[in-house]
Amino acid sequence: MRTSLVMEETNMNLEGTPLFKDIKAAKEVFWINPNKEVFEKAAEKSSISKMDIADADARLTRFASYLKIVFPDTAPTDGIIESPITEIPHMKAYLEEECKGTIEGKVWLKRDDLLPIAGTVKARGAIYEVLKHAEDLALEQGLLTSIEEDYAVFASDKFKTFFSNYKITVGTTGNLGISVGTVGAKLGFEVIVHMSVEAKQWKKNFLRSRGVVVIEHESDFTKAVTEGRQQSDLDPTSYFVDDEHSRELFLGYTVAGSRLKKQLSEKNILVDADHPLFVYLPCGIGGSPGGVTFGLKQIYGDNVHCFFAEPTHVPSMLVGLITGKYNEISVKDIGLDGLTVADGLAVPRTSGFVAKVLENFFSGSYTIDDNETYKLLTALIDQEEIYLEPAAIAGLPGSIRLLQSQAGQEYLKVNNLVDKMTNATHISWATGGSMVPKEDMDIFYKKGKKAE
Ligand SMILES: *Cc1c(COP(=O)(O)O)cnc(C)c1O
Protein backbone atom coordinates (compact mmCIF):
# COMPACT_ATOMS: atom_id res chain seq x y z
CA MET A 1 0.00 0.00 0.00
CA ARG A 2 2.63 2.42 1.13
CA THR A 3 4.83 1.76 -1.83
CA SER A 4 2.09 2.41 -4.36
CA LEU A 5 1.22 5.67 -2.63
CA VAL A 6 4.80 6.85 -2.86
CA MET A 7 4.84 5.92 -6.50
CA GLU A 8 1.75 7.91 -7.33
CA GLU A 9 3.04 11.01 -5.64
CA THR A 10 6.40 10.63 -7.30
CA ASN A 11 4.85 10.28 -10.69
CA MET A 12 2.70 13.33 -10.14
CA ASN A 13 5.61 15.51 -9.16
CA LEU A 14 8.32 14.46 -11.48
CA GLU A 15 7.28 12.13 -14.20
CA GLY A 16 7.12 14.97 -16.64
CA THR A 17 10.75 16.05 -16.28
CA PRO A 18 13.13 14.61 -18.87
CA LEU A 19 15.73 14.00 -16.15
CA PHE A 20 13.40 11.83 -14.12
CA LYS A 21 12.32 9.90 -17.20
CA ASP A 22 15.96 9.13 -17.91
CA ILE A 23 16.57 8.05 -14.33
CA LYS A 24 13.58 5.71 -14.49
CA ALA A 25 14.82 4.31 -17.78
CA ALA A 26 18.22 3.59 -16.15
CA LYS A 27 19.99 5.99 -18.51
CA GLU A 28 23.17 7.81 -17.55
CA VAL A 29 22.39 11.30 -16.21
CA PHE A 30 24.26 14.28 -14.77
CA TRP A 31 22.40 16.33 -12.19
CA ILE A 32 23.25 19.60 -10.45
CA ASN A 33 22.05 19.90 -6.86
CA PRO A 34 19.81 23.00 -6.68
CA ASN A 35 19.93 22.99 -2.87
CA LYS A 36 23.66 23.56 -2.60
CA GLU A 37 24.46 26.78 -0.78
CA VAL A 38 27.56 28.86 -0.27
CA PHE A 39 29.67 27.10 2.32
CA GLU A 40 29.30 29.61 5.15
CA LYS A 41 25.51 29.42 4.99
CA ALA A 42 25.38 25.64 4.76
CA ALA A 43 27.82 25.27 7.67
CA GLU A 44 25.70 27.54 9.89
CA LYS A 45 22.72 25.23 9.54
CA SER A 46 24.65 22.02 10.06
CA SER A 47 24.35 19.89 13.20
CA ILE A 48 27.92 18.67 12.73
CA SER A 49 30.87 21.00 13.24
CA LYS A 50 34.61 21.31 12.79
CA MET A 51 34.96 20.42 16.49
CA ASP A 52 33.33 17.04 15.90
CA ILE A 53 35.81 16.30 13.14
CA ALA A 54 38.75 17.38 15.31
CA ASP A 55 37.50 15.06 18.05
CA ALA A 56 37.38 12.11 15.62
CA ASP A 57 40.82 12.95 14.30
CA ALA A 58 42.27 13.05 17.83
CA ARG A 59 40.68 9.69 18.66
CA LEU A 60 42.27 8.05 15.61
CA THR A 61 45.61 9.51 16.68
CA ARG A 62 45.19 8.04 20.18
CA PHE A 63 44.59 4.61 18.67
CA ALA A 64 47.59 4.80 16.33
CA SER A 65 49.92 3.13 18.84
CA TYR A 66 47.47 0.21 19.11
CA LEU A 67 46.88 -0.15 15.36
CA LYS A 68 50.61 -0.12 14.66
CA ILE A 69 51.03 -3.18 16.90
CA VAL A 70 48.12 -5.32 15.73
CA PHE A 71 48.01 -4.33 12.03
CA PRO A 72 51.60 -4.22 10.78
CA ASP A 73 50.46 -2.78 7.43
CA THR A 74 49.77 0.48 9.29
CA ALA A 75 53.41 0.69 10.45
CA PRO A 76 54.64 2.75 7.46
CA THR A 77 52.08 5.44 8.34
CA ASP A 78 52.69 5.10 12.08
CA GLY A 79 49.30 3.60 12.83
CA ILE A 80 47.35 6.13 10.78
CA ILE A 81 44.92 4.60 8.26
CA GLU A 82 45.64 6.64 5.13
CA SER A 83 46.15 6.13 1.39
CA PRO A 84 48.31 7.81 -1.26
CA ILE A 85 47.18 9.89 -4.24
CA THR A 86 48.36 9.05 -7.76
CA GLU A 87 48.18 11.10 -10.93
CA ILE A 88 46.69 9.07 -13.82
CA PRO A 89 47.75 10.80 -17.07
CA HIS A 90 47.30 7.71 -19.26
CA MET A 91 43.78 7.16 -18.04
CA LYS A 92 43.06 10.83 -18.60
CA ALA A 93 44.25 10.48 -22.21
CA TYR A 94 42.08 7.38 -22.60
CA LEU A 95 38.98 9.20 -21.35
CA GLU A 96 39.69 12.11 -23.69
CA GLU A 97 40.09 9.78 -26.64
CA GLU A 98 36.96 7.76 -25.81
CA CYS A 99 34.80 10.83 -25.27
CA LYS A 100 36.36 12.94 -28.01
CA GLY A 101 36.96 15.82 -25.66
CA THR A 102 39.56 17.54 -23.55
CA ILE A 103 39.83 17.32 -19.79
CA GLU A 104 41.16 20.64 -18.60
CA GLY A 105 43.24 20.32 -15.46
CA LYS A 106 44.98 17.32 -13.91
CA VAL A 107 43.37 14.01 -13.02
CA TRP A 108 44.30 12.16 -9.83
CA LEU A 109 43.15 9.03 -8.10
CA LYS A 110 42.74 8.83 -4.33
CA ARG A 111 43.94 5.32 -3.61
CA ASP A 112 41.61 4.07 -0.88
CA ASP A 113 41.97 0.69 -2.55
CA LEU A 114 45.37 0.70 -0.82
CA LEU A 115 44.13 1.66 2.65
CA PRO A 116 45.70 -0.58 5.28
CA ILE A 117 43.67 -3.12 7.30
CA ALA A 118 40.68 -3.42 4.96
CA GLY A 119 41.51 -1.95 1.53
CA THR A 120 38.29 0.02 1.04
CA VAL A 121 36.98 3.45 1.99
CA LYS A 122 35.01 1.69 4.77
CA ALA A 123 38.28 1.41 6.71
CA ARG A 124 37.87 5.12 7.44
CA GLY A 125 34.37 5.16 8.93
CA ALA A 126 33.85 1.63 10.16
CA ILE A 127 37.15 1.20 11.94
CA TYR A 128 36.68 4.60 13.55
CA GLU A 129 33.25 3.63 14.88
CA VAL A 130 34.46 0.31 16.31
CA LEU A 131 37.42 2.03 18.00
CA LYS A 132 35.13 4.69 19.45
CA HIS A 133 32.84 2.00 20.87
CA ALA A 134 35.82 0.12 22.34
CA GLU A 135 37.10 3.31 23.93
CA ASP A 136 33.66 4.14 25.37
CA LEU A 137 33.34 0.66 26.92
CA ALA A 138 36.88 0.70 28.32
CA LEU A 139 36.35 4.12 29.90
CA GLU A 140 32.89 3.25 31.27
CA GLN A 141 34.12 0.05 32.88
CA GLY A 142 37.30 1.63 34.24
CA LEU A 143 39.72 -0.45 32.18
CA LEU A 144 41.06 2.76 30.81
CA THR A 145 41.38 5.55 33.36
CA SER A 146 42.03 8.41 30.98
CA ILE A 147 42.38 9.17 27.29
CA GLU A 148 45.96 10.21 28.01
CA GLU A 149 47.03 6.57 28.46
CA ASP A 150 49.01 4.78 25.79
CA TYR A 151 46.39 2.92 23.76
CA ALA A 152 48.81 0.08 23.09
CA VAL A 153 47.07 -1.48 26.13
CA PHE A 154 44.16 -2.33 23.82
CA ALA A 155 46.39 -5.09 22.42
CA SER A 156 46.72 -6.77 25.84
CA ASP A 157 45.00 -10.01 26.82
CA LYS A 158 43.20 -8.18 29.59
CA PHE A 159 41.43 -5.92 27.11
CA LYS A 160 40.73 -8.75 24.69
CA THR A 161 39.13 -10.86 27.42
CA PHE A 162 37.07 -7.87 28.48
CA PHE A 163 35.78 -7.22 24.94
CA SER A 164 34.96 -10.90 24.45
CA ASN A 165 31.92 -10.27 26.67
CA TYR A 166 30.52 -7.88 24.07
CA LYS A 167 29.20 -8.16 20.53
CA ILE A 168 29.24 -5.94 17.51
CA THR A 169 26.61 -6.45 14.81
CA VAL A 170 26.42 -4.95 11.32
CA GLY A 171 24.36 -5.26 8.14
CA THR A 172 26.28 -4.89 4.89
CA THR A 173 26.69 -5.52 1.17
CA GLY A 174 30.17 -6.77 2.12
CA ASN A 175 32.83 -4.12 2.61
CA LEU A 176 31.43 -2.54 5.76
CA GLY A 177 31.36 -6.03 7.27
CA ILE A 178 35.00 -6.59 6.33
CA SER A 179 36.15 -3.43 8.09
CA VAL A 180 33.96 -3.87 11.17
CA GLY A 181 34.71 -7.61 11.33
CA THR A 182 38.46 -7.32 10.95
CA VAL A 183 39.02 -4.69 13.61
CA GLY A 184 36.22 -5.90 15.90
CA ALA A 185 37.55 -9.46 15.98
CA LYS A 186 41.09 -8.18 16.54
CA LEU A 187 39.97 -6.23 19.60
CA GLY A 188 38.32 -9.40 20.95
CA PHE A 189 34.63 -8.70 20.24
CA GLU A 190 32.25 -11.32 18.96
CA VAL A 191 31.25 -9.90 15.57
CA ILE A 192 28.06 -10.80 13.71
CA VAL A 193 27.78 -9.69 10.10
CA HIS A 194 24.46 -9.76 8.24
CA MET A 195 25.21 -10.00 4.52
CA SER A 196 22.76 -8.95 1.81
CA VAL A 197 22.30 -10.98 -1.35
CA GLU A 198 24.94 -8.97 -3.30
CA ALA A 199 27.74 -9.97 -0.95
CA LYS A 200 30.49 -11.87 -2.72
CA GLN A 201 31.41 -15.36 -1.57
CA TRP A 202 35.05 -14.42 -0.98
CA LYS A 203 33.99 -11.70 1.44
CA LYS A 204 32.00 -14.23 3.48
CA ASN A 205 34.91 -16.68 3.46
CA PHE A 206 37.35 -13.96 4.48
CA LEU A 207 35.26 -12.97 7.49
CA ARG A 208 34.63 -16.54 8.61
CA SER A 209 38.36 -17.19 8.49
CA ARG A 210 38.74 -14.39 11.03
CA GLY A 211 36.22 -15.89 13.40
CA VAL A 212 33.37 -13.60 12.42
CA VAL A 213 29.79 -14.99 12.40
CA VAL A 214 28.32 -14.42 8.94
CA ILE A 215 24.54 -14.55 8.50
CA GLU A 216 23.45 -14.71 4.87
CA HIS A 217 20.25 -13.07 3.68
CA GLU A 218 18.39 -13.67 0.43
CA SER A 219 17.21 -10.06 0.55
CA ASP A 220 18.66 -6.69 -0.40
CA PHE A 221 20.83 -4.42 1.73
CA THR A 222 17.97 -2.48 3.35
CA LYS A 223 16.38 -5.70 4.67
CA ALA A 224 19.69 -7.17 5.85
CA VAL A 225 20.30 -4.01 7.86
CA THR A 226 16.80 -4.03 9.34
CA GLU A 227 17.13 -7.64 10.47
CA GLY A 228 20.61 -7.11 11.83
CA ARG A 229 19.42 -4.10 13.80
CA GLN A 230 16.42 -5.97 15.23
CA GLN A 231 18.54 -8.89 16.41
CA SER A 232 21.15 -6.62 17.89
CA ASP A 233 18.55 -4.54 19.74
CA LEU A 234 17.33 -7.67 21.56
CA ASP A 235 20.79 -8.24 23.05
CA PRO A 236 22.04 -5.67 25.59
CA THR A 237 25.68 -6.72 25.06
CA SER A 238 25.43 -6.03 21.33
CA TYR A 239 26.33 -2.76 19.61
CA PHE A 240 24.95 -2.13 16.13
CA VAL A 241 27.00 -0.30 13.51
CA ASP A 242 24.16 1.39 11.67
CA ASP A 243 25.02 2.32 8.10
CA GLU A 244 21.69 4.15 7.73
CA HIS A 245 21.90 6.45 10.75
CA SER A 246 25.38 6.42 12.24
CA ARG A 247 26.95 9.74 13.12
CA GLU A 248 30.16 7.98 14.18
CA LEU A 249 30.65 6.29 10.81
CA PHE A 250 30.12 9.65 9.16
CA LEU A 251 32.65 11.37 11.42
CA GLY A 252 35.24 8.71 10.65
CA TYR A 253 34.97 9.57 6.96
CA THR A 254 35.20 13.34 7.53
CA VAL A 255 38.80 13.08 8.77
CA ALA A 256 39.86 12.43 5.16
CA GLY A 257 39.50 16.17 4.49
CA SER A 258 42.46 17.41 6.51
CA ARG A 259 44.52 14.39 5.46
CA LEU A 260 43.97 15.18 1.77
CA LYS A 261 44.86 18.82 2.36
CA LYS A 262 48.23 17.74 3.72
CA GLN A 263 48.86 15.48 0.73
CA LEU A 264 47.96 18.15 -1.80
CA SER A 265 50.22 20.69 -0.08
CA GLU A 266 53.10 18.21 -0.11
CA LYS A 267 52.63 17.86 -3.86
CA ASN A 268 52.40 21.64 -4.29
CA ILE A 269 48.87 21.36 -5.60
CA LEU A 270 47.13 24.65 -5.05
CA VAL A 271 43.44 24.87 -4.19
CA ASP A 272 41.92 28.36 -4.08
CA ALA A 273 39.40 30.51 -5.95
CA ASP A 274 41.53 30.38 -9.10
CA HIS A 275 42.52 26.72 -8.69
CA PRO A 276 39.31 24.76 -8.15
CA LEU A 277 39.25 21.21 -6.81
CA PHE A 278 36.71 18.69 -8.14
CA VAL A 279 36.14 15.42 -6.30
CA TYR A 280 34.10 12.50 -7.64
CA LEU A 281 32.93 9.98 -5.06
CA PRO A 282 31.18 6.61 -5.52
CA CYS A 283 27.94 6.68 -3.54
CA GLY A 284 26.07 3.76 -1.98
CA ILE A 285 24.08 4.70 1.08
CA GLY A 286 25.89 8.04 1.13
CA GLY A 287 28.00 7.80 4.29
CA SER A 288 31.45 7.66 2.75
CA PRO A 289 30.96 10.26 -0.02
CA GLY A 290 28.96 12.38 2.42
CA GLY A 291 31.54 12.28 5.19
CA VAL A 292 34.49 12.89 2.87
CA THR A 293 32.65 15.79 1.22
CA PHE A 294 31.75 17.28 4.58
CA GLY A 295 35.38 17.11 5.71
CA LEU A 296 36.66 18.63 2.47
CA LYS A 297 34.14 21.48 2.55
CA GLN A 298 35.33 22.45 6.05
CA ILE A 299 38.82 22.86 4.63
CA TYR A 300 38.30 24.27 1.15
CA GLY A 301 34.83 25.82 1.42
CA ASP A 302 33.50 26.98 -1.95
CA ASN A 303 36.73 26.07 -3.75
CA VAL A 304 35.98 22.35 -3.64
CA HIS A 305 33.16 20.87 -5.74
CA CYS A 306 32.03 17.36 -4.81
CA PHE A 307 30.00 15.06 -7.05
CA PHE A 308 28.50 11.69 -6.13
CA ALA A 309 28.49 8.77 -8.57
CA GLU A 310 25.87 6.01 -8.53
CA PRO A 311 24.98 3.03 -10.75
CA THR A 312 22.15 3.70 -13.24
CA HIS A 313 20.14 0.88 -11.64
CA VAL A 314 20.64 2.10 -8.05
CA PRO A 315 20.60 5.93 -7.95
CA SER A 316 19.25 6.01 -4.40
CA MET A 317 20.73 9.34 -3.25
CA LEU A 318 19.70 11.01 -6.49
CA VAL A 319 16.13 9.72 -6.26
CA GLY A 320 15.91 10.56 -2.56
CA LEU A 321 16.96 14.14 -3.15
CA ILE A 322 15.13 15.05 -6.31
CA THR A 323 11.85 13.69 -4.94
CA GLY A 324 12.52 15.29 -1.55
CA LYS A 325 11.65 11.95 0.04
CA TYR A 326 15.17 11.10 1.21
CA ASN A 327 15.09 7.58 2.72
CA GLU A 328 11.31 7.35 2.28
CA ILE A 329 11.75 6.19 -1.29
CA SER A 330 13.53 3.19 -2.76
CA VAL A 331 14.78 2.97 -6.34
CA LYS A 332 12.42 0.00 -6.64
CA ASP A 333 9.48 2.37 -6.13
CA ILE A 334 10.27 3.99 -9.47
CA GLY A 335 10.58 0.67 -11.24
CA LEU A 336 14.34 0.12 -11.14
CA ASP A 337 15.60 -3.35 -10.20
CA GLY A 338 18.43 -2.20 -7.92
CA LEU A 339 20.86 -4.66 -9.50
CA THR A 340 24.46 -3.72 -10.34
CA VAL A 341 27.92 -5.18 -10.67
CA ALA A 342 29.08 -2.42 -8.30
CA ASP A 343 28.17 -4.44 -5.19
CA GLY A 344 29.48 -1.77 -2.81
CA LEU A 345 26.91 0.66 -4.21
CA ALA A 346 23.90 -1.69 -4.27
CA VAL A 347 21.87 0.26 -1.73
CA PRO A 348 18.25 0.84 -2.89
CA ARG A 349 17.38 3.43 -0.24
CA THR A 350 19.66 6.28 0.77
CA SER A 351 20.52 7.34 4.32
CA GLY A 352 18.07 10.05 5.40
CA PHE A 353 20.62 11.29 7.90
CA VAL A 354 23.35 11.77 5.32
CA ALA A 355 21.04 13.12 2.60
CA LYS A 356 19.76 15.83 4.94
CA VAL A 357 23.18 16.80 6.32
CA LEU A 358 24.73 16.90 2.86
CA GLU A 359 22.09 18.44 0.65
CA ASN A 360 23.39 21.99 1.10
CA PHE A 361 27.02 20.99 0.58
CA PHE A 362 27.52 18.76 -2.44
CA SER A 363 27.44 19.96 -6.03
CA GLY A 364 25.60 17.20 -7.85
CA SER A 365 25.55 13.57 -8.95
CA TYR A 366 25.76 11.43 -12.01
CA THR A 367 24.99 7.84 -12.85
CA ILE A 368 27.12 5.23 -14.55
CA ASP A 369 26.03 2.18 -16.50
CA ASP A 370 27.42 -1.27 -15.55
CA ASN A 371 28.77 -1.78 -19.04
CA GLU A 372 30.73 1.46 -18.75
CA THR A 373 31.97 0.35 -15.33
CA TYR A 374 33.44 -2.85 -16.79
CA LYS A 375 35.00 -0.93 -19.66
CA LEU A 376 36.68 1.63 -17.42
CA LEU A 377 37.82 -1.04 -14.94
CA THR A 378 39.65 -2.81 -17.75
CA ALA A 379 40.98 0.43 -19.23
CA LEU A 380 42.44 1.47 -15.87
CA ILE A 381 44.32 -1.83 -15.68
CA ASP A 382 45.60 -1.42 -19.24
CA GLN A 383 46.49 2.26 -18.90
CA GLU A 384 47.80 2.51 -15.33
CA GLU A 385 48.03 -1.04 -13.97
CA ILE A 386 45.61 -0.14 -11.21
CA TYR A 387 43.09 -2.78 -10.14
CA LEU A 388 39.87 -1.40 -8.69
CA GLU A 389 36.63 -3.11 -7.75
CA PRO A 390 33.54 -2.13 -9.77
CA ALA A 391 32.08 0.19 -7.11
CA ALA A 392 35.33 2.15 -7.03
CA ILE A 393 35.19 2.81 -10.77
CA ALA A 394 32.14 5.07 -10.50
CA GLY A 395 34.20 8.18 -9.68
CA LEU A 396 36.56 7.67 -12.61
CA PRO A 397 34.65 9.39 -15.46
CA GLY A 398 33.58 12.33 -13.27
CA SER A 399 35.81 14.94 -14.91
CA ILE A 400 34.78 14.17 -18.46
CA ARG A 401 31.12 13.93 -17.48
CA LEU A 402 31.26 17.35 -15.79
CA LEU A 403 32.98 18.94 -18.75
CA GLN A 404 30.85 17.34 -21.47
CA SER A 405 27.35 17.31 -20.04
CA GLN A 406 25.07 20.28 -20.53
CA ALA A 407 24.27 20.38 -16.82
CA GLY A 408 27.98 20.27 -15.97
CA GLN A 409 28.82 23.11 -18.35
CA GLU A 410 26.00 25.14 -16.87
CA TYR A 411 27.44 24.52 -13.38
CA LEU A 412 30.85 25.80 -14.46
CA LYS A 413 29.31 28.88 -16.01
CA VAL A 414 27.11 29.77 -13.05
CA ASN A 415 30.01 29.32 -10.65
CA ASN A 416 32.37 31.39 -12.76
CA LEU A 417 34.75 28.49 -13.30
CA VAL A 418 34.99 28.25 -17.08
CA ASP A 419 38.27 30.17 -17.48
CA LYS A 420 39.81 28.55 -14.39
CA MET A 421 39.55 24.97 -15.57
CA THR A 422 43.11 24.77 -16.90
CA ASN A 423 44.17 25.18 -13.24
CA ALA A 424 41.74 22.56 -11.99
CA THR A 425 42.54 19.44 -10.01
CA HIS A 426 40.18 16.50 -10.47
CA ILE A 427 40.27 13.67 -7.93
CA SER A 428 38.39 10.45 -8.49
CA TRP A 429 38.00 8.62 -5.20
CA ALA A 430 39.04 5.00 -5.77
CA THR A 431 37.12 3.40 -2.93
CA GLY A 432 38.39 -0.17 -3.06
CA GLY A 433 39.95 -3.03 -4.96
CA SER A 434 43.09 -4.49 -3.43
CA MET A 435 41.21 -7.26 -1.63
CA VAL A 436 39.42 -8.64 -4.69
CA PRO A 437 40.75 -12.17 -5.45
CA LYS A 438 42.61 -12.56 -8.73
CA GLU A 439 40.00 -14.94 -10.21
CA ASP A 440 37.26 -12.37 -9.65
CA MET A 441 39.39 -9.57 -11.09
CA ASP A 442 40.14 -11.70 -14.18
CA ILE A 443 36.41 -12.11 -14.80
CA PHE A 444 35.84 -8.35 -14.50
CA TYR A 445 38.76 -7.68 -16.83
CA LYS A 446 37.44 -10.02 -19.50
CA LYS A 447 33.97 -8.51 -19.31
CA GLY A 448 35.51 -5.08 -19.77
CA LYS A 449 37.38 -6.26 -22.86
CA LYS A 450 34.14 -7.54 -24.34
CA ALA A 451 32.39 -4.28 -23.52
CA GLU A 452 34.85 -2.29 -25.65
C1 LIG B 1 30.56 1.25 0.60
C2 LIG B 1 31.32 1.57 -0.57
C3 LIG B 1 31.11 2.76 -1.28
C4 LIG B 1 30.04 3.75 -0.94
O1 LIG B 1 29.98 4.16 0.41
P1 LIG B 1 28.58 4.49 1.08
O2 LIG B 1 28.89 4.92 2.44
O3 LIG B 1 27.76 3.22 1.04
O4 LIG B 1 27.94 5.53 0.24
C5 LIG B 1 31.90 2.98 -2.38
N1 LIG B 1 32.84 2.11 -2.79
C6 LIG B 1 33.08 0.97 -2.13
C7 LIG B 1 34.14 0.07 -2.61
C8 LIG B 1 32.32 0.67 -1.00
O5 LIG B 1 32.56 -0.48 -0.35
Side-chain angles (χ1 to χ4, degrees):
M1 278 312 284
R2 204 186 146 82
T3 305
S4 66
L5 250 181
V6 169
M7 229 174 132
E8 266 168 41
E9 274 175 46
T10 305
N11 290 347
M12 270 194 299
N13 292 341
L14 293 149
E15 201 175 34
T17 68
L19 173 74
F20 204 68
K21 269 190 191 152
D22 284 350
I23 293 171
K24 282 178 74 162
K27 288 196 184 143
E28 291 190 335
V29 299
F30 195 99
W31 170 77
I32 294 304
N33 175 12
N35 294 333
K36 176 174 169 272
E37 296 189 30
V38 293
F39 172 70
E40 292 295 334
K41 265 205 177 154
E44 255 170 46
K45 286 192 226 164
S46 173
S47 60
I48 295 170
S49 72
K50 267 191 169 132
M51 298 273 284
D52 297 316
I53 301 176
D55 178 60
D57 200 353
R59 184 163 293 103
L60 286 167
T61 304
R62 291 201 285 281
F63 272 102
S65 65
Y66 163 73
L67 293 174
K68 207 163 52 172
I69 297 170
V70 295
F71 295 109
D73 59 340
T74 63
T77 47
D78 250 340
I80 297 296
I81 304 163
E82 197 41 75
S83 72
I85 52 172
T86 322
E87 200 179 346
I88 45 168
H90 305 293
M91 191 63 200
K92 177 185 170 181
Y94 170 92
L95 285 170
E96 290 177 326
E97 170 87 28
E98 279 295 296
C99 303
K100 314 239 175 311
T102 309
I103 301 175
E104 291 178 291
K106 294 199 162 150
V107 179
W108 294 77
L109 208 54
K110 177 63 173 160
R111 302 293 306 276
D112 275 10
D113 57 306
L114 300 179
L115 278 177
I117 304 177
T120 73
V121 66
K122 301 293 191 306
R124 298 182 182 275
I127 293 177
Y128 172 75
E129 176 155 10
V130 172
L131 294 175
K132 165 90 166 55
H133 177 57
E135 183 188 59
D136 286 346
L137 280 176
L139 286 169
E140 257 166 50
Q141 305 291 325
L143 242 76
L144 201 62
T145 48
S146 110
I147 61 167
E148 309 295 328
E149 272 184 65
D150 183 349
Y151 278 27
V153 291
F154 279 83
S156 66
D157 286 341
K158 185 176 160 198
F159 273 66
K160 273 191 173 162
T161 308
F162 168 71
F163 289 129
S164 71
N165 297 313
Y166 296 92
K167 294 180 190 130
I168 296 179
T169 307
V170 65
T172 176
T173 63
N175 288 342
L176 184 66
I178 290 199
S179 278
V180 168
T182 303
V183 74
K186 189 64 94 179
L187 280 158
F189 287 100
E190 183 181 332
V191 185
I192 300 144
V193 175
H194 292 261
M195 290 272 194
S196 64
V197 67
E198 298 82 16
K200 298 273 183 278
Q201 191 56 43
W202 68 265
K203 295 185 181 178
K204 298 173 193 168
N205 299 349
F206 175 90
L207 282 171
R208 288 189 173 122
S209 77
R210 274 166 179 62
V212 170
V213 179
V214 176
I215 298 172
E216 299 179 46
H217 293 269
E218 287 301 315
S219 52
D220 69 25
F221 170 84
T222 304
K223 286 194 189 121
V225 168
T226 305
E227 282 187 37
R229 188 189 295 118
Q230 278 168 357
Q231 289 190 22
S232 182
D233 286 352
L234 293 172
D235 182 346
T237 66
S238 175
Y239 176 87
F240 187 65
V241 175
D242 197 328
D243 208 7
E244 288 177 343
H245 308 109
S246 173
R247 191 181 146 93
E248 303 307 339
L249 256 180
F250 184 85
L251 287 173
Y253 293 123
T254 61
V255 176
S258 56
R259 305 263 188 86
L260 185 70
K261 180 191 180 188
K262 208 170 138 224
Q263 285 182 323
L264 294 181
S265 312
E266 281 165 8
K267 297 207 184 293
N268 295 318
I269 297 170
L270 213 56
V271 180
D272 60 24
D274 292 320
H275 301 78
L277 173 63
F278 296 86
V279 185
Y280 310 99
L281 300 129
C283 177
I285 201 160
S288 75
V292 170
T293 294
F294 194 85
L296 284 169
K297 294 300 281 186
Q298 304 298 319
I299 308 253
Y300 295 119
D302 294 323
N303 300 326
V304 64
H305 308 269
C306 299
F307 293 88
F308 294 179
E310 298 184 293
T312 48
H313 284 240
V314 209
S316 48
M317 176 66 81
L318 187 53
V319 168
L321 284 178
I322 66 176
T323 60
K325 292 180 196 303
Y326 307 99
N327 57 318
E328 298 290 319
I329 187 166
S330 157
V331 298
K332 293 177 184 175
D333 297 334
I334 64 162
L336 292 170
D337 59 14
L339 300 176
T340 174
V341 61
D343 54 315
L345 310 182
V347 177
R349 194 184 289 278
T350 194
S351 158
F353 160 65
V354 176
K356 285 170 198 167
V357 171
L358 257 292
E359 74 175 330
N360 305 130
F361 288 97
F362 80 109
S363 296
S365 337
Y366 61 89
T367 55
I368 177 167
D369 183 79
D370 273 6
N371 202 47
E372 188 67 12
T373 296
Y374 280 124
K375 219 169 112 175
L376 293 176
L377 183 147
T378 300
L380 190 66
I381 295 172
D382 289 345
Q383 301 296 328
E384 306 277 354
E385 273 186 86
I386 294 174
Y387 294 76
L388 298 185
E389 64 181 272
I393 291 294
L396 209 53
S399 53
I400 195 91
R401 300 284 294 277
L402 171 71
L403 290 159
Q404 287 199 329
S405 65
Q406 213 175 354
Q409 285 174 7
E410 190 60 29
Y411 179 86
L412 298 179
K413 228 182 270 168
V414 169
N415 288 282
N416 231 344
L417 291 163
V418 176
D419 57 354
K420 298 172 185 163
M421 292 310 285
T422 45
N423 299 331
T425 301
H426 303 273
I427 300 181
S428 294
W429 212 279
T431 47
S434 60
M435 295 186 71
V436 177
K438 189 172 177 311
E439 308 87 80
D440 293 53
M441 194 57 87
D442 284 346
I443 294 170
F444 294 148
Y445 182 84
K446 281 183 193 138
K447 287 203 174 164
K449 276 282 172 211
K450 272 196 202 136
E452 271 175 318

Short mmCIF file of all heavy atoms in Angstrom, two decimals, residues 72 102 117 194 219 273 379:
data_model
loop_
_atom_site.label_atom_id
_atom_site.label_comp_id
_atom_site.label_asym_id
_atom_site.label_seq_id
_atom_site.Cartn_x
_atom_site.Cartn_y
_atom_site.Cartn_z
N PRO A 72 50.28 -4.68 11.23
CA PRO A 72 51.60 -4.22 10.78
C PRO A 72 51.56 -3.41 9.49
O PRO A 72 52.46 -2.61 9.24
CB PRO A 72 52.37 -5.54 10.56
CG PRO A 72 51.63 -6.57 11.35
CD PRO A 72 50.20 -6.13 11.41
N THR A 102 38.36 17.21 -24.30
CA THR A 102 39.56 17.54 -23.55
C THR A 102 39.20 17.68 -22.09
O THR A 102 38.17 18.26 -21.76
CB THR A 102 40.13 18.91 -24.03
OG1 THR A 102 40.23 18.85 -25.44
CG2 THR A 102 41.50 19.18 -23.42
N ILE A 117 44.64 -2.35 6.50
CA ILE A 117 43.67 -3.12 7.30
C ILE A 117 42.54 -3.71 6.46
O ILE A 117 42.29 -4.90 6.51
CB ILE A 117 43.06 -2.33 8.49
CG1 ILE A 117 44.20 -1.81 9.40
CG2 ILE A 117 42.09 -3.22 9.30
CD1 ILE A 117 43.73 -0.95 10.55
N HIS A 194 25.60 -9.40 9.07
CA HIS A 194 24.46 -9.76 8.24
C HIS A 194 24.74 -9.31 6.82
O HIS A 194 24.88 -8.12 6.55
CB HIS A 194 23.18 -9.08 8.75
CG HIS A 194 22.73 -9.61 10.08
ND1 HIS A 194 21.74 -10.53 10.21
CD2 HIS A 194 23.19 -9.37 11.34
CE1 HIS A 194 21.57 -10.84 11.50
NE2 HIS A 194 22.45 -10.13 12.21
N SER A 219 17.86 -11.34 0.85
CA SER A 219 17.21 -10.06 0.55
C SER A 219 18.24 -8.97 0.27
O SER A 219 19.44 -9.19 0.41
CB SER A 219 16.35 -9.67 1.74
OG SER A 219 17.14 -9.72 2.91
N ALA A 273 40.47 30.07 -5.06
CA ALA A 273 39.40 30.51 -5.95
C ALA A 273 39.79 30.38 -7.43
O ALA A 273 38.94 30.16 -8.29
CB ALA A 273 39.02 31.95 -5.63
N ALA A 379 40.11 -0.62 -18.70
CA ALA A 379 40.98 0.43 -19.23
C ALA A 379 41.98 0.90 -18.17
O ALA A 379 43.15 1.15 -18.48
CB ALA A 379 40.13 1.62 -19.72
#
